[in-house]
Amino acid sequence: MKEKLTEYLDRLFDETPPTKRAVELKEEMYRNMLEKYDDLLAAGREPQDAFDLVIASVGDPTELFRSLANEDQIQQNAEQKKRSALRTAIAVMLYILSPIPLITLAALAGQPIVGLVLLLTMAAVATGILIYDYMSKPTYNAKDETMVEEFRAWSSGTKRIKQTRDAVSSALWSLTVAIYLLISFSTGAWHITWIAFIFAAGVQTMVNLFFNLKGKDQS
Amino acid sequence: MSITSDLIRGHTDTIVLSQLMSGDSYGYEINKVVAERTGGVFELKEATLYTAFRRLESAHLIESYWGDEQTGARRRYYRITPNGREAYKRLLNEWQIAKSILETLIHVKESRT
């Protein structure tokens, strides 16, 4: 009869995503139902009779599952927001701090170029964090198949792709300048290091191609 | 019976809080006490009870913890918080006011019939 109870609960939770809360609720319900079943048997009920009574006492679980889904949604959103805020704060902090190596190295060590390289690297890292934060945010999902919903999902998708592409490009070029200056000053091979820019242009083309293909996939 | 059930179901939160006032408990035990006290006339549906647990817990009126059962599924116990005790007193007070209002409104005076 325990198997029948597990089976019943599995069916009941069939359409509920297996979040921590849902799994815990299932365990809680299983335990309580089992105890009720045992009590009914001890009171002299037939097994089938006891099982039916246990199932009947569950009632209408619609509201219960709705509150469960809401709680999960609220919790997820709150966590998402927190993480996103932390990333944005770190990125902004990096942007603000980035002139410090330039100023200190130029003033104290007479090395303005190394300072500039550090500045650009910090800016690139900060941009990278912002891109990651943007890309890891949940996309707009069309809930029903109406035209408005579809259009919203489509425009949210294309806008995201465009913004991500712009961010990647700006990070790519600041990194290129940083690498170019770093290599040129450390090796002194100015006659050849400009190749870095041609290389970066190649990468840029690939990035554009990638985002174009991705955009076509989605539409 | 269905009207009575609806009337009582509106006070599920108060019923759960009142049970927890006298000590920690878990779902089946609470429902068992409800059935015993009413002589088996009334029983909370489990879905109603769990919905109330979730509602009270997210309002920080109760908190839950798992029992340390060694075999099989664990029991989930509920404990009332200081906020919950205050809420219980308030709900009890509200109910008493509502009860006296209802009584004066729905009783028919003998002299006028």
Side-chain angles (χ1 to χ4, degrees):
Chain A
M1 203 53 73
K2 278 182 187 177
E3 294 80 46
K4 265 177 92 177
L5 200 58
T6 321
E7 221 172 84
Y8 168 79
L9 280 172
D10 283 343
R11 261 204 316 280
L12 196 66
F13 280 79
D14 201 24
E15 288 180 10
T16 312
T19 57
K20 187 167 174 273
R21 281 162 195 276
V23 172
E24 283 181 354
L25 178 65
K26 201 171 164 185
E27 183 176 359
E28 182 184 9
M29 284 179 78
Y30 175 71
R31 172 77 204 199
N32 285 328
M33 288 168 89
L34 203 62
E35 261 181 68
K36 187 180 172 113
Y37 176 73
D38 287 343
D39 274 6
L40 285 169
L41 281 193
R45 294 271 186 180
E46 292 295 315
Q48 185 58 45
D49 201 10
F51 180 76
D52 290 344
L53 277 171
V54 169
I55 301 303
S57 73
V58 171
D60 178 15
T62 323
E63 196 196 346
L64 181 62
F65 285 136
R66 198 164 43 224
S67 73
L68 197 66
N70 280 346
E71 280 171 33
D72 283 330
Q73 194 63 47
I74 290 165
Q75 202 190 13
Q76 268 179 10
N77 285 353
E79 279 170 11
Q80 198 98 44
K81 235 178 174 172
K82 236 185 199 167
R83 277 200 297 268
S84 173
L86 182 69
R87 283 189 209 119
T88 313
I90 291 175
V92 170
M93 190 189 76
L94 278 173
Y95 279 128
I96 295 172
L97 291 179
S98 62
I100 292 180
L102 176 64
I103 297 165
T104 46
L105 284 171
L108 301 176
Q111 295 270 16
I113 300 303
V114 179
L116 185 64
V117 169
L118 279 172
L119 181 150
L120 289 167
T121 313
M122 280 167 88
V125 170
T127 313
I129 292 173
L130 286 181
I131 295 169
Y132 175 76
D133 181 52
Y134 190 78
M135 290 187 78
S136 60
K137 267 183 195 157
T139 41
Y140 186 91
N141 289 322
K143 277 204 182 92
D144 48 282
E145 301 280 298
T146 64
M147 291 247 295
V148 179
E149 294 287 325
E150 271 174 20
F151 175 74
R152 259 199 224 155
W154 173 80
S155 67
S156 130
T158 31
K159 202 173 146 211
R160 275 168 61 87
I161 288 173
K162 192 181 175 306
Q163 288 185 352
T164 316
R165 191 176 61 193
D166 291 350
V168 170
S169 301
S170 80
L172 172 73
W173 288 104
S174 7
L175 251 177
T176 308
V177 173
I179 291 170
Y180 167 73
L181 290 172
L182 188 71
I183 295 175
S184 303
F185 273 97
S186 56
T187 62
W190 291 92
H191 60 283
I192 192 71
T193 45
W194 54 268
I195 292 267
F197 288 100
I198 292 181
F199 182 71
V203 174
Q204 174 78 73
T205 314
M206 267 151 64
V207 167
N208 287 349
L209 195 67
F210 172 74
F211 279 107
N212 281 344
L213 285 174
K214 210 175 151 195
K216 262 184 200 136
D217 273 357
Q218 286 198 346
S219 59
Chain B
M1 186 59 209
S2 74
I3 295 169
T4 322
S5 295
D6 280 347
L7 204 62
I8 300 174
R9 201 161 49 228
H11 298 274
T12 312
D13 290 5
T14 322
I15 294 169
V16 170
L17 287 176
S18 78
Q19 296 272 322
L20 294 176
M21 283 294 276
S22 52
D24 300 0
S25 190
Y26 58 97
Y28 176 56
E29 194 179 55
I30 289 178
N31 220 349
K32 204 161 59 174
V33 173
V34 167
E36 275 167 14
R37 283 203 189 161
T38 57
V41 177
F42 182 75
E43 192 185 45
L44 284 167
K45 289 289 182 203
E46 269 161 66
T48 315
L49 189 64
Y50 294 124
T51 311
F53 282 152
R54 314 211 73 81
R55 189 170 49 233
L56 290 169
E57 198 172 11
S58 59
H60 303 292
L61 300 182
I62 62 173
E63 49 197 18
S64 67
Y65 59 94
W66 290 99
D68 53 358
E69 280 75 28
Q70 298 302 317
T71 52
R74 297 167 299 168
R75 272 187 199 146
R76 188 182 208 166
Y77 288 91
Y78 292 92
R79 179 197 299 129
I80 193 164
T81 64
N83 279 347
R85 288 177 188 277
E86 269 170 40
Y88 168 70
K89 282 175 201 146
R90 201 185 60 240
L91 285 167
L92 190 66
N93 194 34
E94 276 172 19
W95 163 245
Q96 260 144 9
I97 295 168
K99 191 172 75 173
S100 67
I101 292 174
L102 270 174
E103 268 175 359
T104 49
L105 288 181
I106 61 181
H107 279 298
V108 178
K109 284 196 184 96
E110 293 290 327
S111 57
R112 278 167 65 184
T113 51

